[in-house]
Amino acid sequence: MVEPLFQVKVECACCESAFQTSRVRPSFKKATHTDTDFCIHYKETNPDYYVVRICPYCGYASTENTSNVFTPAHKEAFYNKVAVNWQFKDYGGERSWDDAMYAYKLALLCAQIKNEKGRVVAGLLHHIAWLYRYKQDTEQERRFLQFALDAYTNVFETEGADLNNARLMYLMGELHRRLNQYKEAVKWFGRVINDKSIMDSAMIRACREQWAATREQMISEKIDMPEEMIHEG
C-alpha cells in the first residue's frame, strides 16, 4: 500500500547537515475547495503541513522560497536566538496540526532573523492564518491575516515593480474584505479592474467578483458606500 508521504533529502543552509523531510505524494493531494485568498482545503493529508523543513540538528526552519544565503551576522543571531536552546528533534515524519504550526512559527522567526524578502515573510504569516482557519480559530486567523496584510502592503510598496502586481493587489483587497475593511478592499479591487496595463484576465475577473461581493456586504451591513459604488451593479 502506497503511503501519502515520501521522504526527500535536504541540506541545512545553516549547519550544512543533511536530513530527511516529508512531502505529500501528488496522488494524495485531494482538494475539496479553495478559498478566495488561495487557501486550499484538503480531503485527507494536508500538504501545507509539510512546506517547512526543520533541521533536526540546529533547528533552522526554511521553505523552498527561503534564500540559502547566511551571513556571519545572521548565523550569530540564529545561534543566539534558536540554536542555543535547540535539542535534537526530528520533524521529518508525519505531522500533526500542532507540529505544522510550530514549524511555520519557527520558519517565521528564522526568516525575520535573516531579514528575508518581505514576500517570504508575508507568505509565512498568511499560511499561519490558514492553519488557524483549518482549526476554525477565527480570532487568531484574523490576527494573522492582519499581520499578513501589513506585510503584503510593505511588499507592494518596496518590491511591487518586480512582482505579479495583479495577484498581489487582489490579495490585498481580499484580505481587507475578510477583515471587514471594505472601503480599502474596493480600492484595491478597483485598481486591478481599471488598470489598462494589467492583462491578467483571471485576476481581473476575481477582482470584479470580490468587488461585487464587497458591495453586497456593505449593503447588508448598512455601511455607507463611496459615490462610485452606489451607481454600479
Side-chain angles (χ1 to χ4, degrees):
M1 185 178 160
V2 179
E3 292 293 320
L5 302 179
F6 67 98
Q7 296 269 297
V8 292
K9 191 176 177 184
V10 180
E11 186 177 291
C12 177
C14 182
C15 73
E16 299 178 10
S17 300
F19 63 95
Q20 300 275 349
T21 191
S22 289
R23 288 279 178 273
V24 178
R25 293 184 196 281
S27 58
F28 282 86
K29 292 180 181 178
K30 294 173 181 166
T32 57
H33 63 283
T34 303
D35 294 336
T36 46
D37 65 344
F38 310 126
C39 173
I40 304 173
H41 295 257
Y42 293 92
K43 203 176 196 171
E44 292 155 359
T45 309
N46 189 334
D48 258 9
Y49 284 17
Y50 301 93
V51 167
V52 177
R53 312 168 296 195
I54 301 178
C55 173
Y57 301 100
C58 72
Y60 176 61
S62 62
T63 72
E64 287 178 359
N65 296 323
T66 310
S67 85
N68 288 325
V69 178
F70 248 104
T71 66
H74 290 156
K75 262 190 185 176
E76 186 182 353
F78 170 74
Y79 276 109
N80 289 338
K81 288 182 181 172
V82 178
V84 70
N85 299 313
W86 182 260
Q87 292 184 329
F88 181 92
K89 183 156 187 200
D90 188 358
Y91 284 90
E94 190 176 345
R95 290 181 184 173
S96 64
W97 181 91
D98 291 307
D99 292 334
M101 180 59 80
Y102 177 79
Y104 273 107
K105 287 190 174 176
L106 184 57
L108 177 63
L109 174 61
C110 291
Q112 289 166 334
I113 289 169
K114 278 184 71 197
N115 298 320
E116 286 289 345
K117 284 189 170 165
R119 55 180 175 264
V120 173
V121 173
L124 290 169
L125 289 163
H126 200 175
H127 272 83
I128 291 169
W130 292 347
L131 282 178
Y132 282 121
R133 187 178 304 168
Y134 297 141
K135 273 278 193 191
Q136 298 177 320
D137 185 339
T138 308
E139 187 182 337
Q140 288 294 341
E141 179 200 336
R142 288 175 67 86
R143 185 167 160 252
F144 275 89
L145 284 179
Q146 184 64 61
F147 290 151
L149 175 55
D150 293 343
Y152 282 129
T153 304
N154 188 50
V155 169
F156 184 81
E157 289 167 356
T158 57
E159 302 177 45
D162 305 325
L163 301 172
N164 175 350
N165 267 353
R167 183 183 170 96
L168 182 58
M169 286 193 278
Y170 165 79
L171 206 43
M172 290 160 69
E174 179 56 17
L175 294 196
H176 275 299
R177 186 191 71 79
R178 285 177 171 269
L179 292 163
N180 308 107
Q181 299 159 4
Y182 300 133
K183 289 177 183 176
E184 286 299 318
V186 293
K187 271 186 207 167
W188 287 106
F189 293 141
R191 281 178 74 165
V192 176
I193 294 164
N194 297 317
D195 187 337
K196 300 290 180 254
S197 70
I198 291 175
M199 301 297 175
D200 189 333
S201 57
M203 284 298 103
I204 294 168
R205 187 170 63 251
C207 283
R208 287 189 191 281
E209 288 169 1
Q210 294 313 96
W211 190 97
T214 308
R215 188 175 184 274
E216 290 304 311
Q217 283 177 286
M218 292 176 82
I219 291 169
S220 70
E221 293 180 31
K222 298 183 170 56
I223 293 168
D224 290 340
M225 284 190 282
E227 190 70 23
E228 64 272 17
M229 292 189 81
I230 296 169
H231 305 298
E232 296 274 349

